[in-house]
Amino acid sequence: MHLCEIARRRRTRLELLLIDPAERVGAGAAFATQDDRHRLNVTADKMSCYPDDASHFLRWLTRHGDAKATAAHFAARGDYGAYLSDTLSDASARARTVTLRHVRSRVTDCAWHGKQAVLRLADGSVVRADSAVLATGPQAASGSWAPEELRNSARFVPDAWAPGALDGPLSSGGDVLLVGTGLTAVDVALTLDRNDRAIHAVSRSGALPAAHAVTPLPPVAPPGSLDGLPLSRLRRDVYRHVRRTLRCHGDWRPALDGLRPLTARLWSALPDSERAEFLTRDRSLWNSHRHRMAPATAEAIARLRESQRLRVSAGQVATVRSTETGEATDSGPGALLSVTLDNGRTLQVGWVVDCTGPAARLAESTDPLDHSLLASGLAAPGPLGIGYATDPDGRLVGGDTVAGPPMWTLGAQRRGELWESTAIPEIRGQAAGIAKALLDEAAPLPPAPQRRRPMDNLGEPLSTDPSTAATYRIGLQRLMKVRSGADRAFLQAVELDPGFALAHAALAMLGHEGGAEVDVPRALADAQRAVRERGDARERGLVDVITRRIQGPAGDGDAALLRHIGDHPRDALALSMAVPTIAFSGVTDLRDDAYELVERTAPAHAGHWFHTSLLAFIQQELGAFDEAGALARRALASEADSGHAVHALAHVHYECGDHQDGLRWLDSWIGDHGQGATHGAHFAWHAALHELALDDATAVRRRWSVQLAPPQVRGIRALVDSVSMLWRAQLTGQWTGAVPIDEVLSEVAAETLERPVTPFTALHSVIALTAAREVCALHRLGRYAAQHSDPVQREVIHPLCEAMAAVAEERWNDAAPALQALLPALPRVGGSAAQREVIEETLLYALASAGRCTEADRLLQERLDRRSSPLDHRRLGHLATI
C-alpha cells in the first residue's frame, strides 16, 4: 500500500510483484478466518494501516461492516482481512503509475546477480527484481514439543490456521486437547465448542490471556526513565509502575500500555544474556498481560469455563498413545488418543491441536527461502536467533554484519531486534518507512528544476506543474467567489498531480467546514505526506495550519494561521480560513482584531475585489454599515459573482432594517447570479430573514417551498439554513402547525447531526433536535459535547443542549435563565450575529411563554434600537396586552 501511495505522489513508474500463494491478498493467516467469534484484540481506532490516518479502518468499517462501530469496537478478524485487501486494491487502482501483479506462488530461493535479485519460485519459474521485501509474517509452528507418535498421527493438527484445518471430523465430535493457552487457543476453543465436547487447554503456565477493560483508561507512562537499566532493575521498576498505577487508577492495564512506546528501545539495549533470561522467566507473564482478549471474547471464554466445556491447566505433553479404533473411553468413542502430561495426568481425546504459536528461532524454520538466505550469507539470524538481523530501517544485515543488497523485512521477522514487532501499529510504521527507503534508493526524486514555478490566482508560487496549477486556480477562484465546483476542481488537481499538497489540503478544509463530500482524514493525511516530499515554506505552513484546524480543538491553530498570513498576506486560502464570512468559520475570537488583520494585509492586495469583499464583511460585523456597504458595492462592480461581497451587503441591509430594498436587491442577484453559488441556500436564508422581519408569513412559506426545502438543499446547508429558518418561523408564529423538520433531517448525515466536528455545526444540531423534540438525542449530544476536546463544545454547546432540552419539554422557567446566561458566550461558536440570533429568538419565546413579559419587552426594545422590524413591533404590541 505504501509503495503504491508514495509512487503515486511522486508519479514514479513501478512494477510490484506480490508473491503470495493465497487466493486473496491481505488476509494472511491471521485475518483469513470467517468465524465472527474471532475478534481483533485491539480496538478499531488503533488498526488503521496508515500511521498518519488513525481512523481509516474505523471509517471503512462503518461503511462496509458495522455502521454503528465506534473507536472502542473490537472488529471481527475476517472484516480486517477484507479491509486490508480492499485498501490495497484501492491504493493500487489510484496509483496509475504502478502495476501490481499478484503471483500465486512461494519464493524458494533468492540470489543476487549484479544489482538484481533472482527469485526462484516453487513452480520452478524465475522472476527478477531490483529490490525485495520479506513480508512473510511469523514462522510456522515447529511442533518440536510433540512426541513422534503424535506428529505422525492423523489426529494431530499442526497448524490451526491452515485452510480447512478445523473443519470436517474435527468440528463434529470427540474431546480436543489444545496445546498452548494464548490467543490462538482462545480462538480455536470458540470455533470447536460443542455442548457434547470437552476442550482441554494446557501450557507451561496454564494462563489464558487477560481481558481488555470494557472502558479502557489512557496509558500511564512510567514516572522516571527506564533507559540503561539492567534487567533486574528494569523488572523491579516495571512491577512498581504497575502497582502504582493499580493503586491510583484501579487498573493495571494502563501501566503496560504506557510501556509500549518504550519496549523496543528497552529490549534493544539489553545484552543477549538478559534477553534470554527474560524469555525464560518473564515472557509468559508478559504475553498474557500484554496481548489481551477483547471483552466479548473474554466473556465467551468465561462461559465455556463455567460450563466445564473448556478446562485449562498447567502442564506439558509427555507421551501420546493411540488407542484402538472404536475403543470406548470416558470421553466416548471419538477419544482415540491417550495423552499423558508431565504432571502425571492423562487425557483421553479425539484430537490434539498445536496452539503454541509460531516458532521463535529462525533455525527452526521450515521455509526454504530462510535456509537459502542464511546459507548464502545474504541474511543473518537476529539476536538469540529470533528473526533476521536488520539495521534500524529494517534492511537485512548479511553474515558479515554489513548491509547487503536492497532487501528489507518487517513485522515478526524483526522480533529479535525489537521484541514488540507483530502488532499493526508497529507493522504499519515499519511498512511506511521501508516503502520510502526502498523508493529513495530505487527511484530517487530528481532535483527540483530551476524553472519559474506556476502561480496561484494572487501570485503565490505552487509546487506543481503548469497544467495542475491551472486546474487548482479554477478551484481557488471558485472558492474566492463562493461558487460551486471548487471541490471538483481540487479533486481534478490531485488526480493530475497526487503529490500536490495544497489541493489535498483545500479538499480537507472544504470537507471539514464546507460539507463537501470528502474523506477529510484521508485528504489531510495525503496533504501531510505530499508536503513533506515536495513543498515550500508557505505550503508547509499552510498544511500545518489546516492540520491544527481540523485535528485540534477550536482555536488551536489560530495563532499559527495569523502568523502564516503575516508572512504570506496574499495566501487566498489562508485568508479565507481566517475571516469568518460564508465559506469557513473564521478564527476563534477574531472579531476584536479582524479589522486589523484585513487592514494589515490590504497593501499586498492593492484593492483586489477578493480582499475588498472580506473587508466589507468585517466592517459590517463591527457595525460600520455605511463603510461595509460601500466596500461591498465596489467589490461587486469589479466581480459581480463575489459571494463574500454579496454576503456582506445582505448583512448590511438586514442589520440596518432595510428589509424591502434589501429583499428586492437580493432576489435580483439570486436570479441573475445565484444558480452557481456554493451557498445558494444561505442567500435564500438571508432573503427569508427579511421576509420574517417584514412579518410576511406567506412569503416565508413560498421561500421555503422554492429555495430551502429538500431536495433543493442537502447536507450541512440543510442543517444550518433550512432548519434555522423553520425554527425561527415557528417561534415567530409565521409557520402554523408542525414544521417539516423530519424531511430536512433526512438530508443530514447522522454523523453530522450527532457528532458535529465544529461548535458552529453543533449549534445548529441543537436547534434541529429541539425542533424535532428529540430530547434524548439532545442529552446524547450534550454528553458528546461535555467530553469533547474543544472547550467551546464543553463550555457553550453542552449547557446549550440542556437549555434547549428544557425548551423542547416546555420547562420555560428553566429554559429562559439558562439561555440568557449563554448569550454572551455565543460569539465563541462562530458564524455571524444574524445566525446566532436564533438563540435570542428562542429566549424571547421562552420568556413570553414563562410569563416574564417585562424581560421579553426589554429584549425586544433593545432589538428595535438596533434595527426596525415590523415583526418585533407586532410582538411588542402583543406583550402589552398580556
Side-chain angles (χ1 to χ4, degrees):
M1 293 175 201
H2 288 290
L3 284 168
C4 289
E5 296 279 357
I6 297 173
R8 173 176 174 262
R9 291 195 297 276
R10 297 183 178 185
R11 292 184 276 189
T12 299
R13 297 211 166 272
L14 190 67
E15 182 181 3
L16 286 178
L17 299 179
L18 182 51
I19 303 173
D20 184 344
E23 179 178 359
R24 183 181 66 157
V25 170
F31 310 122
T33 174
Q34 295 304 304
D35 189 334
D36 285 343
R37 292 168 294 187
H38 295 168
R39 317 300 288 184
L40 297 175
N41 68 322
V42 176
T43 51
D45 62 327
K46 297 181 177 65
M47 291 296 288
S48 168
C49 57
Y50 294 108
D52 50 5
D53 186 0
S55 65
H56 189 264
F57 172 56
L58 180 59
R59 300 197 308 276
W60 181 94
L61 193 63
T62 56
R63 291 194 304 268
H64 297 88
D66 186 348
K68 296 183 179 180
T70 65
H73 181 65
F74 291 85
R77 291 223 312 271
D79 284 346
Y80 193 73
Y83 160 71
L84 291 179
S85 181
D86 193 35
T87 307
L88 175 60
S89 177
D90 176 64
S92 62
R94 297 201 312 158
R96 297 175 183 174
T97 60
V98 176
T99 301
L100 175 62
R101 182 157 60 94
H102 177 201
V103 179
R104 292 192 60 192
S105 186
R106 291 182 182 276
V107 179
T108 58
D109 181 76
C110 175
W112 282 83
H113 292 176
K115 293 187 176 182
Q116 276 205 322
V118 179
L119 307 173
R120 187 170 300 280
L121 307 186
D123 60 7
S125 61
V126 171
V127 298
R128 297 175 182 273
D130 300 304
S131 308
V133 179
L134 275 66
T136 51
Q139 296 170 205
S142 67
S144 57
W145 57 268
E148 184 176 358
E149 185 169 0
L150 179 59
R151 289 200 299 271
N152 294 334
S153 172
R155 297 271 168 169
F156 178 54
V157 181
D159 181 1
W161 303 125
L166 303 181
D167 300 336
L170 177 56
S171 65
S172 60
D175 291 355
V176 179
L177 171 62
L178 311 181
V179 180
T181 57
L183 293 171
T184 295
V186 166
D187 285 339
V188 172
L190 292 174
T191 295
L192 296 182
D193 174 47
R194 289 167 49 95
N195 288 331
D196 58 352
R197 152 185 288 167
I199 299 174
H200 303 273
V202 299
S203 67
R204 287 186 178 91
S205 66
L208 288 170
H212 280 286
V214 175
T215 306
L217 298 173
V220 176
S225 174
L226 301 176
D227 290 322
L229 298 180
L231 181 61
S232 58
R233 286 277 309 280
L234 189 58
R235 183 186 293 117
R236 184 197 68 185
D237 286 4
V238 166
Y239 274 112
R240 285 178 175 174
H241 170 52
V242 171
R243 287 193 293 267
R244 184 184 305 110
T245 304
L246 182 59
R247 286 196 306 271
C248 295
H249 301 280
D251 191 355
W252 51 267
R253 296 170 185 84
L256 258 67
D257 297 339
L259 292 171
R260 182 166 189 167
L262 317 174
T263 304
R265 187 172 75 243
L266 296 175
W267 172 265
S268 299
L270 293 175
D272 279 358
S273 60
E274 293 188 347
R275 291 174 179 167
E277 180 187 342
F278 174 86
L279 295 180
T280 301
R281 178 175 171 179
D282 305 297
R283 175 174 57 178
S284 177
L285 188 63
W286 172 267
N287 284 341
S288 64
H289 288 75
R290 167 68 184 82
H291 303 287
R292 305 191 281 270
M293 292 185 279
T297 301
E299 263 188 52
I301 290 296
R303 287 195 297 271
L304 293 187
R305 297 191 74 179
E306 288 168 6
S307 65
Q308 290 294 299
R309 298 206 302 275
L310 174 62
R311 305 167 187 178
V312 183
S313 60
Q316 294 178 257
V317 173
T319 63
V320 177
R321 179 175 60 85
S322 296
T323 62
E324 289 186 21
T325 302
E327 177 182 335
T329 69
D330 291 342
S331 298
L336 302 175
L337 295 173
S338 180
V339 181
T340 302
L341 306 181
D342 60 355
N343 57 16
R345 184 179 171 210
T346 298
L347 302 173
Q348 308 292 337
V349 295
W351 307 86
V352 176
V353 183
D354 188 347
C355 298
T356 56
R361 291 175 171 78
L362 201 58
E364 301 174 45
S365 172
T366 58
D367 188 336
L369 176 59
D370 291 331
H371 295 293
S372 165
L373 292 171
L374 294 175
S376 66
L378 289 172
L384 305 181
I386 301 173
Y388 284 105
T390 63
D391 71 6
D393 295 326
R395 188 165 180 159
L396 291 181
V397 173
D400 55 359
T401 68
V402 297
M407 294 182 68
W408 288 264
T409 193
L410 72 164
Q413 298 290 15
R414 296 193 68 194
R415 285 192 76 212
E417 303 277 6
L418 305 173
W419 182 241
E420 287 289 332
S421 185
T422 59
I424 290 297
E426 282 77 30
I427 290 174
R428 68 188 180 198
Q430 293 172 22
I434 287 173
K436 182 180 183 302
L438 188 156
L439 284 177
D440 284 347
E441 184 166 325
L445 282 171
Q450 296 303 309
R451 65 173 183 266
R452 184 173 180 270
R453 288 192 293 165
M455 302 291 178
D456 72 6
N457 310 60
L458 297 181
E460 292 286 359
L462 301 172
S463 297
T464 188
D465 58 82
S467 177
T468 304
T471 305
Y472 177 79
R473 284 195 294 270
I474 292 171
L476 189 57
Q477 181 82 343
R478 289 173 179 170
L479 186 64
M480 291 162 65
K481 291 181 180 179
V482 199
R483 307 296 286 178
S484 62
D487 54 341
R488 293 193 297 274
F490 292 139
L491 185 59
Q492 185 178 356
V494 300
E495 288 173 350
L496 288 170
D497 181 4
F500 181 34
L502 288 193
H504 289 295
L507 279 172
M509 274 305 297
L510 284 175
H512 177 66
E513 290 201 22
E517 292 186 7
V518 175
D519 186 340
V520 173
R522 183 65 182 272
L524 182 61
D526 283 338
Q528 293 165 337
R529 298 164 192 159
V531 83
R532 283 195 297 266
E533 295 179 352
R534 189 213 318 158
D536 63 17
R538 178 183 74 93
E539 292 164 328
R540 289 194 297 274
L542 187 55
V543 170
D544 176 64
V545 165
I546 291 173
T547 299
R548 294 168 182 264
R549 184 72 164 254
I550 293 173
Q551 294 184 338
D556 180 58
D558 290 356
L561 176 56
L562 295 176
R563 284 195 303 271
H564 178 85
I565 292 172
D567 295 336
H568 308 282
R570 291 179 66 83
D571 192 323
L573 181 56
L575 207 53
S576 296
M577 291 163 51
V579 180
T581 58
I582 186 172
F584 301 116
S585 61
V587 173
T588 306
D589 298 329
L590 179 65
R591 285 164 182 78
D592 291 341
D593 55 0
Y595 178 79
E596 188 275 333
L597 169 70
V598 182
E599 272 291 295
R600 178 161 40 90
T601 55
H605 291 265
H608 190 278
W609 61 263
F610 170 66
H611 188 272
T612 303
S613 301
L614 298 183
L615 183 56
F617 190 86
I618 291 302
Q619 288 281 24
Q620 69 80 27
E621 281 286 283
L622 296 174
F625 298 121
D626 290 341
E627 295 90 334
L631 288 166
R633 292 184 181 95
R634 186 192 310 164
L636 287 168
S638 297
E639 178 51 73
D641 284 344
S642 174
H644 291 305
V646 174
H647 194 210
L649 198 51
H651 275 277
V652 168
H653 283 302
Y654 180 71
E655 297 298 344
C656 291
D658 191 7
H659 301 301
Q660 293 283 7
D661 289 345
L663 182 59
R664 278 194 296 270
W665 169 80
L666 192 52
D667 268 337
S668 174
W669 186 87
I670 290 172
D672 293 340
H673 302 276
Q675 296 305 308
T678 304
H679 302 287
H682 191 62
F683 296 123
W685 176 84
H686 268 281
L689 278 189
H690 287 306
E691 291 162 342
L692 284 167
L694 291 168
D695 211 10
D696 190 342
T698 302
V700 169
R701 297 289 288 254
R702 183 169 57 247
R703 181 79 56 183
W704 163 262
S705 177
V706 175
Q707 294 178 345
L708 285 168
Q712 293 103 312
V713 185
R714 299 176 182 273
I716 196 72
R717 293 263 58 106
L719 181 63
V720 170
D721 297 317
S722 303
V723 165
S724 175
M725 196 281 283
L726 277 180
W727 181 239
R728 290 173 80 143
Q730 186 178 46
L731 291 174
T732 55
Q734 296 182 60
W735 194 292
T736 55
V739 294
I741 189 67
D742 289 340
E743 66 181 82
V744 181
L745 295 187
S746 67
E747 299 293 338
V748 181
E751 184 75 6
T752 302
L753 190 63
E754 297 173 9
R755 304 181 68 80
V757 295
T758 67
F760 181 72
T761 306
L763 168 70
H764 288 85
S765 293
V766 173
I767 296 165
L769 295 174
T770 306
R773 301 301 190 269
E774 293 282 356
V775 176
C776 291
L778 275 170
H779 289 311
R780 286 198 302 272
L781 180 57
R783 289 193 294 272
Y784 163 79
Q787 297 168 1
H788 205 283
S789 60
D790 184 345
V792 181
Q793 294 259 24
R794 296 195 304 271
E795 297 164 14
V796 182
I797 300 302
H798 171 227
L800 181 62
C801 286
E802 300 306 310
M804 294 297 272
V807 170
E809 294 177 330
E810 299 185 5
R811 293 183 285 109
W812 306 117
N813 283 315
D814 293 331
L819 291 171
Q820 200 149 23
L822 281 168
L823 287 184
L826 284 179
R828 298 176 63 193
V829 170
S832 66
Q835 287 172 311
R836 298 189 303 272
E837 196 176 66
V838 67
I839 301 302
E840 189 180 85
E841 291 282 8
T842 309
L843 172 59
L844 266 171
Y845 190 85
L847 288 170
S849 299
R852 299 165 70 161
C853 298
T854 302
E855 294 170 75
D857 183 284
R858 187 184 311 120
L859 186 55
L860 277 170
Q861 292 283 6
E862 290 172 0
R863 284 161 61 102
L864 285 168
D865 288 343
R866 297 200 304 267
R867 62 171 174 267
S868 174
S869 165
L871 169 65
D872 286 349
H873 279 295
R874 171 176 64 82
R875 290 194 287 188
L876 196 61
H878 176 69
L879 283 176
T881 66
I882 297 177

